[in-house]
Amino acid sequence: MDCLNLFLLFTFTFACSSTISTRADLPGTWELVLADAGISSMHTAVTRFNTVVLLDRTNIGPSRKMLGRGRCRFDRNDRALKRDCYAHSAILDLQTNQIRPLMILTDTWCSSGQILADGTVLQTGGDLDGYKKIRKFSPCEANGLCDWVELDDVELVNGRWYGTDQILPDGSVIILGGKGANTVEYYPPRNGAVSFPFLADVEDKQMDNLYPYVHLLPNGHLFIFANDKAVMYDYETNKIAREYPPLDGGPRNYPSAGSSAMLALEGDFSTAVIVVCGGAQFGAFIQRSTDTPAHGSCGRIIATSADPTWEMEDMPFGRIMGDMVMLPTGDVLIINGAQAGTQGFEMASNPCLFPVLYRPTQPAGLRFMTLNPGNIPRMYHSTANLLPDGRVLIAGSNPHYFYKFKAEFPTELRIEAFSPEYLSSDRTNLRPVIEEIPETVRYGEAFDVFVTVPLPVVGILEVNLGNAPFATHSFQQGQRLVKLTVTPSVPDANGRYRVGCTAPPNGAVAPPSYYMAFVVNQGVPSVARWVHLIP
């Protein structure tokens, strides 16, 4: 067992010993990772160095974390601090749970992002002086000094506030939508911005076309959902390849957002299933109604079908601002959010403390399982991200314009982790340990993974690749899970099991990037190892 796996296994074991189980009769456990991160993370991304980028915004006044070393941002147009020596971004080291401040220079409020093929965090847009900005964070070892770089030689063609980014099969990124920006553009830049009338067509009196849900389909086209409608978009020709039926239940995007996820790609990778869950009732945002009940309905559609239709089902709770996180098993964790109101500052109530597990392979009507509730409301501007050890990191919640700690739902600086039932102590003997795996694999390449498991293996060991999305505003931008084609595991003379794997066939199935490779045994995932998938 290598040092990384030893450390992560130790970290998880220690964390389990300090968890707080709030409802012993329901699956899952909670733990407090950090009592005070200093900032409230509006945008969150995990890096291949097992660190986590936390990002808020400028023009918000003091945070609880200083930049240090005499570093300050000077902006005479800042509404709160002309000389700002506070951190509005930070890096969390998952090994030590220590925070190091990072420095951003322009306003990242309600911006977008994506992880590039080399693992760099691309960050686009925002408000005010950040409206057209492009930023990069090239991650480093936890003891390094990497920081944000704001690009001076290139900017967005159209300002992007509430836009969405999605990495494409060639590793470039499409940047789509935003308030008043019914266009698409690319990074690296192509030929300016291209009109995308679909976003204008679905706009209503309270917008509801912001932060569109974008999923890269395995056929290379994009599934784009905004308000209550969706299209398949051929970005190469700038044409709509298909219009999908409307989804019943009212608006689903900001400011009425539920969330969305594309289920795991597997088999021959030709089928993509999209799920959209929750949302606010139309009018709640305009009326500033904090007590209008949220929707509890979900729509599920086979986006690649010749005759796609929405299959409807209901969550146990109505929910807005819920995050849908793809777990290593292929199940989806729905977490965070509220049961009434809408997105926006101080516009929601009745926090939804119960996570829900969506099990796609179960029959309709049996797919949802209610999990152990937390006790910290995670309202507007909360995030959720899958970690390499299988936990889900929960950060943020600031439903106020500035930081406000004396309120019904105060600005939240605590960081938690939720452990799904697969990490419970009674399943420890099923948990695989990856002993050997290539650091880099090419499309279509055959390779072996060697694992150990405390109990004899019964059945197929899955090898699943999960990427690191950019989480903000109830949507994991770029999120995907790919279940590799594998051969039955074979024991070797060293007490290990060898699993033969075939890498994804192309960038439409899995764009080039760093992926968390999990081995899953009877529903129990290993600690992931980072694998670089390249052409």
Side-chain angles (χ1 to χ4, degrees), residues 284-286 288-290 320 340-349 399:
F285 182 78
I286 295 174
R288 296 190 62 84
S289 172
T290 62
I320 56 168
T342 182
Q343 286 177 303
F345 292 126
E346 301 174 358
M347 291 180 66
S349 65

Side-chain angles (χ1 to χ4, degrees), residues 12 161 236 283 292-293 309 315 324 337 346 352 357 362 378 388 422 534:
F12 175 74
W161 194 27
E236 296 284 8
T292 300
T309 58
M315 296 185 289
M324 297 181 71
E346 301 174 358
C352 197
L357 188 68
Q362 295 296 311
R378 299 288 180 173
Y422 55 55
I534 63 174

